[in-house]
Amino acid sequence: MEKKVSIIVPVYNSEKYLKECLDSLTGQTLSDLEIILVNDASTDKSYNIMLEYEQLYPGLVQVYSFQQNSKQGAARNLGIRMAKGKYLLFVDSDDVLELRACELLYNRAEAMQADIVFCDYIMFSEEDERYCQHVQNVYLGNMTVEKKKALLTTSVVPWAKLFLKSLVVDNNIFFPEKVFYEDQATTYLYYLYAKKAAKVESALYKYRVTDYSTSGKKNTKRHFQQTDMAIELVRRMEKRGFSQIYREEIDFFLIEQMYCLGVEICFQKFDDPSKEQLQKLLVCLNLLCPNYRKNIYYREYISEYYKKILEVHQVSVEELICQFQKGEFKKYCPNYTWQIKKCQEKIKEMVVFFKKNKIRTLLWGAGKYSKYILECFEAIGYRFDYLADRNSSLWGKKYGEYTIVPTTKVGEVDVAVIEYTNFYHDISEEIRAMKIKVKIVDLEIYIKHNLGLPFEQYLERIG
């Protein structure tokens, strides 16, 4: 008998947090679901906890077990094969699901007939927590090639998403087994086969950051498998015939996710960065993406910080390590803004819309790199009505030709331009708290992706 949702949870040595996770799953408000727990040869008390919940919730909780540790990919694959749900939801065993998560995700999937439903999430630790916006609405709806290209530059994790089971099974999209970073070779394939995507505008998933997670551990060679899984994704995409349509995105994935992230891992996750791994990253990039300098994302959007790292790395691994240790790369721009003048045609489209409709505008943020944005708009003869910042110590100070004003000035404009995707949610919530009616636009999203939409469709009304 088909269930509405199958929640699949790989479990390995999670006794510290497992009960909190399982309480959030067994307390879901959606009826007619199942919780599939796969014990990946745990050596602590996790298996006993799983059996306890299976006894407490017969018919709801099912426990399976591996005799040998096979990693999350194998556990998820077993869960997929055992699942009776119309939809699949992957949850990590130290994370927490909001109690209405399944109900809200399922109802949205049914209402929209969506293959994938996203939600936002909270990233939390013992010290703090942060709201993270998963994807924005402009990526969603009927999945055009342009939207799929955009999604290939976003979240690669399988959690905080509801997937139609037939999307996964009919297209034979399973995870690599006995490796770490298995999601990097898998999740994007779901996007490419999806016909429709939707979202619940709420943080329904809580992602716990610990020193014991795959991403948290230091000085372990498991991090090097991130490179292998990035290469595996490209191999899978090419085998399935996606390489011609999505060539630019595949190459950018190699540049950003394989190479750039791989270099960051070498220096952030290891006290002594591996020369061998750094050399492997460079060889793989040059071999798999020899024309990376011509890639449109590399040319127009990749940060100055990463470009300088790659330039130095091409000289020698020793020089790269030396400059990292000296902190030389910290002086370079870490985001897209330093190249924004290369995107003037898109900026002109914004300006035409603003002028034609007599739109009053505010640029939210007077940080270190806002100068690049202002220079780009000034180069085509446009001036914002206000430059605002929430830092009160900056109010009244000059920033180029602007005088910085409080963000409450947003109540006097029609559109607020947000500089970075990472700030988009927090700013929108701040505006809602002011009880102000205004439209906002994520400039980074608008600049980076050609979704084939007119500028006004990037605007979101607040209030």
Side-chain angles (χ1 to χ4, degrees):
M1 180 177 173
E2 186 178 71
K3 301 288 186 179
K4 292 177 180 176
V5 174
S6 296
I7 304 175
I8 298 172
V9 188
V11 181
Y12 176 71
N13 289 358
S14 303
E15 64 177 359
K16 183 176 181 180
Y17 304 113
L18 184 56
K19 286 190 175 183
E20 183 182 1
C21 173
L22 297 183
D23 285 341
S24 77
L25 305 185
T26 55
Q28 288 294 305
T29 57
L30 180 69
S31 61
D32 201 21
L33 56 76
E34 63 178 356
I35 301 167
I36 299 174
L37 309 179
V38 183
N39 174 40
D40 192 18
S42 296
T43 57
D44 64 359
K45 296 178 181 177
S46 294
Y47 186 52
N48 292 334
I49 295 171
M50 296 161 70
L51 292 177
E52 176 188 338
Y53 274 78
E54 186 178 41
Q55 292 176 354
L56 285 171
Y57 300 95
L60 175 62
V61 176
Q62 305 166 33
V63 176
Y64 299 89
S65 190
F66 290 148
Q67 295 302 310
Q68 294 183 334
N69 182 260
S70 301
K71 308 295 184 293
Q72 282 190 321
R76 290 195 184 114
N77 289 343
L78 177 60
I80 293 169
R81 293 186 176 100
M82 295 296 104
K84 297 181 179 67
K86 181 176 181 181
Y87 298 94
L88 306 175
L89 184 67
F90 299 111
V91 176
D92 287 352
S93 59
D94 54 356
D95 294 343
V96 178
L97 208 58
E98 290 296 315
L99 296 183
R100 291 191 65 202
C102 286
E103 178 184 354
L104 294 172
L105 290 166
Y106 174 81
N107 288 344
R108 183 60 55 86
E110 289 291 282
M112 302 298 294
Q113 292 296 291
D115 301 308
I116 302 174
V117 182
F118 295 84
C119 66
D120 294 332
Y121 61 97
I122 300 291
M123 181 179 290
F124 75 107
S125 65
E126 294 181 359
E127 290 78 31
D128 59 12
E129 63 178 44
R130 178 166 61 91
Y131 191 109
C132 298
Q133 189 173 47
H134 221 144
V135 296
Q136 292 189 20
N137 287 325
V138 290
Y139 294 151
L140 309 177
N142 293 323
M143 296 304 293
T144 62
V145 169
E146 290 76 18
K147 289 180 180 179
K148 291 179 181 181
K149 286 182 176 182
L151 281 173
L152 289 178
T153 66
T154 64
S155 167
V156 74
V157 296
W159 41 260
K161 305 171 182 70
L162 190 74
F163 298 103
L164 186 67
K165 182 186 174 184
S166 60
L167 171 75
V168 176
V169 175
D170 292 352
N171 294 298
N172 195 32
I173 309 173
F174 290 89
F175 293 88
E177 301 187 358
K178 298 184 178 181
V179 293
F180 294 99
Y181 295 96
E182 73 293 331
D183 46 1
Q184 289 212 26
T186 310
T187 310
Y188 282 164
L189 294 175
Y190 298 153
Y191 302 164
L192 293 179
Y193 283 104
K195 296 178 180 178
K196 195 170 188 178
K199 182 183 175 184
V200 175
E201 299 267 3
S202 183
L204 303 178
Y205 193 98
K206 295 189 71 174
Y207 171 71
R208 192 189 305 269
V209 180
T210 71
D211 293 335
Y212 302 101
S213 63
T214 299
S215 59
K217 278 186 176 291
K218 290 199 68 174
N219 299 314
T220 172
K221 290 186 178 181
R222 70 172 59 175
H223 293 301
F224 296 161
Q225 292 182 13
Q226 178 267 346
T227 304
D228 299 329
M229 289 300 98
I231 295 172
E232 173 64 11
L233 172 67
V234 174
R235 186 194 68 79
R236 286 180 162 197
M237 292 176 71
E238 290 178 342
K239 185 177 180 180
R240 291 168 180 258
F242 292 121
S243 58
Q244 184 172 357
I245 297 175
Y246 299 100
R247 185 75 262 166
E248 291 285 327
E249 289 69 35
I250 292 173
D251 286 350
F252 187 63
F253 179 85
L254 288 169
I255 297 166
E256 187 177 57
Q257 293 295 316
M258 183 197 73
Y259 174 79
C260 295
L261 182 59
V263 169
E264 291 282 9
I265 285 173
C266 285
F267 287 96
Q268 292 179 1
K269 301 297 182 182
F270 292 85
D271 296 325
D272 185 18
S274 166
K275 290 184 180 181
E276 180 182 353
Q277 177 64 12
L278 287 169
Q279 190 60 39
K280 177 182 177 180
L281 287 167
L282 185 63
V283 169
C284 287
L285 179 65
N286 289 335
L287 181 65
L288 298 173
C289 190
N291 298 315
Y292 68 85
R293 293 180 180 86
K294 296 181 180 180
N295 181 270
I296 186 171
Y297 297 96
Y298 180 86
R299 293 200 321 267
E300 298 184 1
Y301 311 130
I302 202 164
S303 70
E304 181 183 31
Y305 169 79
Y306 280 137
K307 272 197 172 181
K308 292 298 181 181
I309 286 173
L310 186 45
E311 287 176 10
V312 172
H313 199 173
Q314 291 285 14
V315 175
S316 73
V317 172
E318 290 74 19
E319 184 64 20
L320 178 70
I321 294 173
C322 178
Q323 292 205 25
F324 249 108
Q325 291 173 340
K326 289 181 178 179
E328 289 294 316
F329 296 113
K330 292 180 180 179
K331 62 186 177 183
Y332 298 113
C333 181
N335 56 59
Y336 77 100
T337 57
W338 77 292
Q339 296 194 105
I340 193 171
K341 284 188 177 179
K342 293 183 178 180
C343 307
Q344 278 195 345
E345 288 305 311
K346 298 199 76 172
I347 296 297
K348 286 178 181 177
E349 184 182 347
M350 287 181 68
V351 169
V352 167
F353 177 82
F354 291 155
K355 290 183 175 180
K356 179 181 178 181
N357 295 282
K358 298 180 180 179
I359 301 292
R360 290 176 59 78
T361 59
L362 174 146
L363 181 65
W364 189 297
K368 182 177 180 181
Y369 303 108
S370 302
K371 62 180 181 179
Y372 297 123
I373 295 173
L374 294 173
E375 288 171 358
C376 182
F377 279 88
E378 289 167 0
I380 56 176
Y382 185 78
R383 178 181 173 86
F384 292 95
D385 292 281
Y386 297 110
L387 173 63
D389 200 283
R390 61 164 60 98
N391 185 349
S392 60
S393 66
L394 298 177
W395 297 346
K397 292 186 177 181
K398 297 293 289 184
Y399 192 109
E401 297 183 2
Y402 289 85
T403 299
I404 302 172
V405 300
T407 50
T408 51
K409 281 288 185 179
V410 72
E412 300 180 22
V413 300
D414 305 298
V415 173
V417 178
I418 314 303
E419 299 174 342
Y420 306 112
T421 296
N422 287 345
F423 301 151
Y424 190 82
H425 173 266
D426 290 344
I427 292 173
S428 63
E429 290 302 297
E430 187 173 334
I431 294 173
R432 285 189 178 94
M434 296 180 195
K435 297 182 179 179
I436 291 171
K437 293 183 179 181
V438 68
K439 291 182 179 179
I440 62 175
V441 61
D442 184 329
L443 183 63
E444 183 172 5
I445 293 297
Y446 174 69
I447 287 295
K448 283 187 174 182
H449 302 299
N450 181 20
L451 298 176
L453 303 173
F455 170 71
E456 53 263 39
Q457 290 193 29
Y458 288 85
L459 295 172
E460 177 186 355
R461 177 173 291 281
I462 303 295

